[in-house]
C-alpha cells in the first residue's frame, strides 16, 4: 500500500483511543443490568440511528457484498431498496414502535426475553436464545475474518495476530461497557463510515469521468463477461441477469430477499428499539437511518460494479479476474490502487469501524443470550451483570475459534445464512407477538421450530453451496444435494419462511376452531 | 438513464432514493409526534 505504515498506525491509534474513551464512558454509565442490556432505555435518537445503521452494515455489507456486486452487477441495488424500505421504514415504524412499547411494559431487556415475556413462556425464551448462540457465531466469525483480513492487508499485521487483537479490543469494551459503550462507539463508527463511503462515491465518479460516463463505460464492458457466467445468466454489470437463471436465483433469493427480509428479525437490531424512552425518538431516528443506509449499501453496490471499469483499464481484466477470483479482495484492492493516500486511510478506518460496530453488537447479543436468557437465575453468588459478562466472554471465545476453522471466501454467504435463519425462525413469531392481542404460544413455538428446522434441512441437504461445504448430505445420502437444479440455488429463506408462516397460521386457526367447538 | 439502459436497474436506484427521501420526510413530519399503538400483547 502507498500510505506509509507510521501514518496509518498513528491514525489508527487515535481512533482506538477515541473508542476506548467511549468505552470508559459506557462503563461509567453502566450500573444496573438494565444499563448493560438496553442502555438504561435513554439513548439519543441520533445515536440510535447511527448505531442501528452501523450494526446493520458491517464489513460484510461493504467488502463482501460490494465484492459480490462487482461480480454480479448493479442488480444488487435491489437489496438497498429492501434495506431502506424494510430495514428502516417498516422496521422502525411497524415493528420498532410496538417493540419499544411492549418491551417497556413487560420490562424486556433482550430479544429472547421479549419473546419469553410476550408469550409468557420459558420455552420461547430458551429456544430463541439457543438459536442465537448456535447461529450467531457463524455470522460473527465471518465479520471477524473480514476485519482481520483487512487489517492484515492494510497494516501488514499477520492474520492470526490481527484476528486476536481485533476480537480482544472489541471484547474489552463490550464486556465492561455493555450496550451503552456499544452504542456510543457505534455512533462514532457510523459517522466515520458515512464520511468514508461519501468520499468513495465522489472520487470514483471523478476518477471515471462523471456519472453517466462511468455507467456507459461499464455497460460497454459486457463483452468481458466470462462465458461460463454468461451461460449462467450474467448479462453485464448494468443489467439484471436473465430471469430464472441460476445467477438470477442466487441474486434475488439469497442476496436480495434473504438479507433484505432477514434484517427485520435480527435480535441485535430488535434490542435497539428498546433503548429509547419514547416513540418520538424512533421517528427522529428514521430521518437519519434511511439516508445512512443509502450511503452505505447504495454506494457499495454502485462502486463495486464500477471497479470493473478501473480494472479493465489498468489490467485488461474484470475485477474478479484481477483479484484472483476472491470477491472479498476487490474493493480493498481497488481502493489501494485507485484512491489518494489520505483516502486509503479514511476508508481503512471506515471499514475497521464497520467491522467493530457490527462485531460489538453481535458479541453483546450472544453474551446476553448465553449469560442472561439461558443462565438467568442460576448465577449463584455471581451478580447478574457478572453472569452476562462471563457469557459474553465465552461466546467471544467460541466465535474467535470458529473464525479459525471457517473457510475464507465466505463473508457474504455467512451473512445471508444468518439473516435467513433469523427470518425463518423469528419473524412470524415476532410479528405475532407484536400485533396480536392474545398471541398463541403454541403457534409461535410451532413457527419457530418449523422455521429453524426447515432452514437447516434446506441448507444442509438442498442449497448446494452450503450442503457441499457442510458435507452432511454427502455423508448420509451419498449426494451433495437431494434435489436437482434449480432448487439447488433457491435460498433456504424462500422455503423456510413460508413454512414458518404456515405453521403459525395453521395452529392459530386450529386453536380458534377448537375453542369455538368447545 | 445516467448511462444505464436496463429499467430494472435504474428503477431500483429511483426506489432506493425515494425510500431514503421518505425516511427524511417521515422524520420531519413526526419529529414531535408521540402516538402510542393500542394493539399487541
Amino acid at each position: 500500500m502507498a500510505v506509509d505504515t507510521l501514518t496509518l498506525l498513528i491514525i489508527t491509534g487515535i481512533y482506538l483511543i477515541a473508542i476506548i474513551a467511549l468505552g470508559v464512558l459506557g462503563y461509567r454509565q453502566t450500573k444496573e443490568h438494565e444499563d448493560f442490556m438496553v442502555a438504561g432505555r435513554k439513548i439519543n435518537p441520533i445515536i440510535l440511528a447511527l448505531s442501528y445503521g452501523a450494526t446493520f452494515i458491517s464489513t460484510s455489507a461493504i467488502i463482501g457484498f460490494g465484492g459480490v456486486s462487482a461480480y454480479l452487477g448493479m442488480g444488487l441495488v435491489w437489496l438497498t431498496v429492501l434495506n431502506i424500505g424494510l430495514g428502516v421504514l417498516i422496521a422502525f415504524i411497524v415493528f420498532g414502535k410496538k417493540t419499544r412499547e411492549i418491551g417497556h411494559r413487560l420490562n424486556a431487556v433482550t430479544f429472547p426475553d421479549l419473546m419469553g415475556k410476550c408469550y409468557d413462556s420459558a420455552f420461547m425464551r430458551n429456544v430463541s436464545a439457543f438459536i442465537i448462540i448456535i447461529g450467531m457465531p457463524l455470522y460473527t466469525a465471518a465479520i471477524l475474518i473480514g476485519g482481520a483480513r483487512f487489517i492484515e492487508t492494510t497494516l501488514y499485521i499477520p492474520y492470526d495476530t490481527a484476528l486476536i487483537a481485533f476480537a480482544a479490543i472489541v471484547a474489552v469494551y463490550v464486556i465492561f461497557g455493555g450496550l451503552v459503550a456499544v452504542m456510543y462507539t457505534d455512533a462514532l463508527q457510523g459517522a466515520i463510515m458515512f464520511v468514508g463511503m461519501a468520499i468513495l462515491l465522489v472520487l470514483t465518479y471523478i476518477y471515471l469521468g462523471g456519472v453517466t460516463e462511468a455507467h456507459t463505460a461499464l455497460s460497454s464492458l459486457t463483452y468481458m463477461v466470462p462465458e461460463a457466467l454468461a451461460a449462467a445468466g450474467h448479462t453485464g454489470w448494468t443489467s439484471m441477469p436473465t430471469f430464472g437463471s441460476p445467477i438470477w436465483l442466487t441474486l434475488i433469493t439469497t442476496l436480495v430477499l434473504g438479507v433484505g427480509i432477514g434484517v427485520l428479525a435480527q435480535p441485535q437490531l430488535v434490542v435497539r428499539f428498546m433503548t429509547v424512552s419514547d416513540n418520538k425518538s424512533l421517528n427522529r431516528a428514521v430521518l437519519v437511518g434511511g439516508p445512512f443506509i443509502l450511503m452505505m449499501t447504495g454506494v457499495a453496490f454502485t462502486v463495486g460494479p464500477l471497479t470493473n471499469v478501473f480494472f479493465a483499464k489498468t489490467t485488461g481484466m474484470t475485477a474478479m479476474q484481477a483479484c484472483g477470483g476472491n470477491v472479498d479482495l476487490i474493493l480493498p484492492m481497488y481502493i489501494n490502487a485507485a484512491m489518494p493516500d489520505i483516502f486509503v486511510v479514511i476508508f481503512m478506518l471506515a471499514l475497521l469501524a464497520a467491522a467493530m460496530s457490527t462485531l460489538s453488537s453481535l458479541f453483546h447479543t450472544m453474551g446476553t443470550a448465553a449469560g442472561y436468557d439461558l443462565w438467568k437465575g442460576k448465577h449463584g453468588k455471581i451478580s447478574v451483570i457478572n453472569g452476562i459478562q462471563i457469557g459474553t466472554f465465552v461466546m467471544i471465545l467460541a466465535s474467535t475459534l470458529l473464525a479459525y476453522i471457517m473457510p475464507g471466501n465466505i463473508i457474504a454467504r455467512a451473512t445471508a445464512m444468518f439473516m435467513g435463519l433469523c427470518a425463518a425462525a423469528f419473524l412470524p413469531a415476532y410479528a405475532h407477538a407484536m400485533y396480536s392481542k392474545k398471541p398463541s404460544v403454541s403457534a409461535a413455538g410451532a413457527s419457530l421450530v418449523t422455521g429453524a428446522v426447515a432452514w437447516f434441512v434446506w441448507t444442509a441437504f438442498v442449497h448446494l453451496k452450503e450442503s457441499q461445504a457442510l458435507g452432511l448430505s454427502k455423508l448420509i445420502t451419498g449426494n451433495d444435494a437431494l434435489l436437482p437444479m434449480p432448487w439447488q440455488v433457491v435460498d433456504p429463506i424462500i422455503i423456510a419462511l413460508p413454512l414458518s408462516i404456515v405453521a403459525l397460521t395453521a395452529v392459530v386457526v386450529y386453536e380458534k376452531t377448537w375453542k369455538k367447538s368447545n | 438513464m445516467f448511462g444505464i439502459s436496463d429499467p430494472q436497474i435504474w428503477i431500483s436506484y429511483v426506489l432506493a432514493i425515494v425510500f431514503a427521501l421518505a425516511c427524511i420526510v417521515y422524520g420531519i413530519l413526526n419529529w414531535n409526534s408521540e402516538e402510542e399503538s393500542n394493539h399487541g400483547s
Side-chain angles (χ1 to χ4, degrees), chain A residues 88-99 430 434-435, chain B residues 37:
Chain A
V88 179
L89 279 171
I90 300 292
F92 273 74
I93 299 167
V94 178
F95 286 98
K97 291 182 182 180
K98 299 294 299 184
T99 305
Y430 171 46
M434 294 298 104
Y435 277 92
Chain B
S37 322

Side-chain angles (χ1 to χ4, degrees), chain A residues 75 77-78 81 84-85 89 93 97-98 100-101 105 118 212 215-216 219 238-240 278-280 283-284 286-287 290-291 302 433-434 436-437 439, chain B residues 1-9 11-13 15-17 19-20 22-28 30-41:
Chain A
V77 175
W78 281 105
V81 175
I84 305 171
L89 279 171
I93 299 167
K97 291 182 182 180
K98 299 294 299 184
R100 190 202 67 76
E101 290 165 19
R105 199 167 68 235
C118 280
T212 306
H215 297 163
T216 308
S219 300
T238 56
S239 54
M240 284 295 280
D278 48 32
N279 284 352
K280 195 166 60 185
N283 295 334
R284 294 175 180 185
V286 169
L287 189 151
T302 302
M434 294 298 104
S436 177
K437 280 185 179 171
Chain B
M1 189 185 277
F2 293 111
I4 299 171
S5 53
D6 186 351
Q8 291 185 78
I9 300 294
I11 287 172
S12 70
Y13 274 103
L15 277 177
I17 293 165
F19 281 174
C23 288
I24 295 174
V25 172
Y26 181 87
I28 292 170
N30 294 286
W31 188 258
N32 278 318
S33 157
E34 184 46 75
E35 86 288 4
E36 293 271 322
S37 322
N38 296 317
H39 306 291
S41 57

Side-chain angles (χ1 to χ4, degrees), chain A residues 252-341:
Chain A
I252 296 298
T253 68
T254 300
L255 301 172
V256 175
L257 293 178
V259 178
I261 298 172
V263 74
L264 282 176
Q266 281 190 63
Q268 77 276 17
L269 295 180
V270 171
V271 75
R272 275 163 173 66
F273 299 135
M274 300 193 280
T275 62
V276 290
S277 58
D278 48 32
N279 284 352
K280 195 166 60 185
S281 300
L282 291 174
N283 295 334
R284 294 175 180 185
V286 169
L287 189 151
V288 181
F292 181 85
I293 299 296
L294 180 68
M295 285 308 293
M296 297 295 118
T297 62
V299 170
F301 304 158
T302 302
V303 172
L306 289 173
T307 59
N308 285 288
V309 180
F310 170 79
F311 286 111
K313 264 189 194 172
T314 53
T315 67
M317 291 188 275
T318 65
M320 187 69 163
Q321 290 161 343
C323 297
N326 188 344
V327 288
D328 297 337
L329 289 179
I330 294 174
L331 279 182
M333 277 185 67
Y334 164 71
I335 286 155
N336 280 330
M339 295 288 140
D341 290 358

Side-chain angles (χ1 to χ4, degrees), chain A residues 59 89 132 157 182 191 193 204 214 317 321 344 380:
Chain A
T59 34
L89 279 171
I132 289 171
I157 292 173
V182 169
M193 288 159 68
T204 297
M317 291 188 275
Q321 290 161 343
V344 177

